[in-house]
Amino acid sequence: MKGNKVIIFDTTLRDGEQTPGASLNVKEKVKIALQLDALGVDVIEAGFPRSSPGDLEAVRDVAKHVTRPIICGLARATKKDIDDVHEALKKAKRPRVHVFLATSRIHREYKLRKAKGDILKIAVEAVKYARKMFPDVEFSPEDASRTELNFLAQVVEAVIKAGAGTVNIPDTVGYSVPQEFGGIIRHLMENVPNINKAVVSVHCHNDLGLGVSNSLAAVLNGARQVECTVNGLGERAGNAALEEFVMGLNMRKDVFGSLSTNIRTKELFKTSRLVSKLTGIVIQPNKAVVGDNAFSHESGIHQDGVLKKRVTYEIMKPQDIGFKGSRIVLGKLSGRHAFLNRLKKLGYSLSGGELDQAFTRFKSLADKKAKIYDEDLATIVEEGLATVPEKYKLVDFRVTSGNRISPMAEVILRKGNEKLTASATGDGPVDACFKTIDKAIGRRGKLIDYKVSAVTGGKDALGEASIRVAFKNKVVIGRASSTDVIEASVLAYVNAINRLWQKTEGRR
Ligand code: KIV
Ligand code: ZN
């Protein structure tokens, strides 16, 4: 056990990006990494370089722009994977390679078809090979929580001896429960002779909704690094949510004593919104800590209690996580100076071009909407930051709809110098628009998910459309906002097409 600091290892850009439908381009990854830096995370797992050239580039770019935290790349226990992480991180200030190999009987027999002895040998060789290039090596026995305890202890001891400075114990399939998982960590702390030479880390998935609980149980038993993601994104049901783990530790000092993290909790809300915006994964309203309802009180008894004394029904202060609530700040008559000032207060610093673009968007929104709230400003800025190339641009759309006619849409798009026009009918005005766009671009999208939510209250609120569309086997997200929800939907569809273009032709 090393001190009372719990290292926060953020894997939003790696495991988080494995969330079905979430995909980030390189610039978006860098934007998130810069915010993770502002949040105070200690380690950023920026990607899995061997998985694609795009991931290698993203890890390299993150390391170029973000120099305070350790930047980590994932590798299977093979030379090629480790070489690729080295290639991506050769200019990083504080590089780390994270090597993983499954150890559980299920994975050994069905996935790897290897005996225990082979696993031990491959793990040790991989760590030794990695240590030749990296001073900082982390090893993960994948599916650790379903691995025989004695074998797990044997692997952990061997990789530490081979040079791993961090051993990460993943609950890969989110199967463990807190008492059991805490017991696994305790067993390792008590039975691995060289355990003090490494930091023990945990990586808990959320298949049973226990990712954060298991991580908290682990730190009570000696783990000093927690791998987590913003908004709990991640493979399947996701990973332990960073904001929940950190606030759990902070709020319950009576249980966790002096255990603490370097996280600046006032940055949590902003980070959560940025990740949601760029990944396109909407935060459920009742999500702990950062959900829209986390600080709303619906019942009269609760409202009365909070008005009398906040602590009756509120365990955290919204301000502690940087949640400022809806505030009318600007309007039609507000000038550039007031706009810039408010953005600064919200923690945004934009370059000249970005600021011009955001101000233009603000002015056109203020023409349609009397009161501009902080949330509107955040939407304006973050949409401007979303760096999807506008290969296809919406020029014009028209839609007629009613209860006795078939909705019909006409759309004009621009692709470079080419003008694409089409018209089609659909089951509703939005469906008609989407079908028309499909016709114009000559592709067929299958809508998997469609949500429209209001950014703030009021009839003139900005509506944010968020969609997930499958074009054959490629799933992309799209997101856009407007005071007109049909326009927001059309723009979100065009945004999805641009993401598809970026994923396919754009890469080439
Ligand atoms: O869930 C898991 O086991 C992982 C490993 C690569 C650490 O993501
Ligand atoms: Zn994982």
Side-chain angles (χ1 to χ4, degrees), residues 101-267:
L101 178 67
T103 50
S104 67
R105 192 176 62 77
I106 299 175
H107 281 235
R108 289 192 317 260
E109 285 181 9
Y110 298 107
K111 187 178 88 174
L112 301 173
R113 302 210 162 87
K114 298 226 180 295
K116 283 182 179 169
D118 303 322
I119 297 288
L120 209 51
K121 191 162 166 265
I122 298 168
V124 167
E125 277 172 9
V127 171
K128 282 190 176 157
Y129 182 73
R131 269 309 302 266
K132 288 188 195 150
M133 290 173 253
F134 291 89
D136 186 352
V137 175
E138 170 169 330
F139 180 82
S140 284
E142 192 191 7
D143 205 16
S145 55
R146 292 194 298 174
T147 301
E148 303 89 321
L149 259 187
N150 288 343
F151 181 54
L152 182 63
Q154 217 183 332
V155 173
V156 169
E157 183 180 352
V159 294
I160 295 175
K161 197 164 161 222
T166 303
V167 268
N168 178 46
I169 307 302
D171 183 23
T172 300
V173 289
Y175 180 70
S176 221
V177 295
Q179 197 188 16
E180 176 193 34
F181 196 65
I184 296 175
I185 301 304
R186 194 171 349 108
H187 180 89
L188 296 175
M189 300 306 296
E190 288 171 359
N191 293 285
V192 174
N194 55 0
I195 200 75
N196 284 334
K197 295 210 169 95
V199 173
V200 175
S201 166
V202 291
H203 174 114
C204 299
H205 277 273
N206 213 21
D207 299 65
L208 294 174
L210 295 171
V212 171
S213 307
N214 285 337
S215 307
L216 289 168
V219 296
L220 282 177
N221 285 283
R224 286 295 177 268
Q225 176 177 283
V226 167
E227 302 198 352
C228 44
T229 56
V230 175
N231 299 337
L233 295 183
E235 189 79 46
R236 305 182 309 280
N239 290 60
L242 182 151
E243 59 282 358
E244 294 174 21
F245 173 78
V246 169
M247 290 315 283
L249 211 61
N250 281 9
M251 297 311 299
R252 296 304 306 271
K253 297 224 180 295
D254 54 331
V255 177
F256 298 101
S258 55
L259 289 179
S260 68
T261 68
N262 289 323
I263 295 299
R264 295 181 197 105
T265 61
K266 284 193 161 52
E267 293 288 327

Side-chain angles (χ1 to χ4, degrees), residues 20-80:
S23 104
L24 295 162
N25 63 34
V26 176
K27 283 188 181 158
E28 288 166 336
K29 281 195 166 192
V30 172
K31 296 246 183 262
I32 291 177
L34 288 166
Q35 179 56 30
L36 291 172
D37 185 8
L39 179 66
V41 306
D42 303 288
V43 187
I44 295 176
E45 187 164 54
F48 183 0
R50 185 84 197 153
S51 69
S52 74
D55 243 41
L56 193 145
E57 192 190 335
V59 175
R60 183 189 291 144
D61 266 32
V62 166
K64 191 167 140 197
H65 291 94
V66 184
T67 52
R68 184 201 50 85
I70 293 171
I71 306 296
C72 176
L74 184 69
R76 284 166 297 188
T78 69
K79 288 187 175 170
K80 280 191 176 141

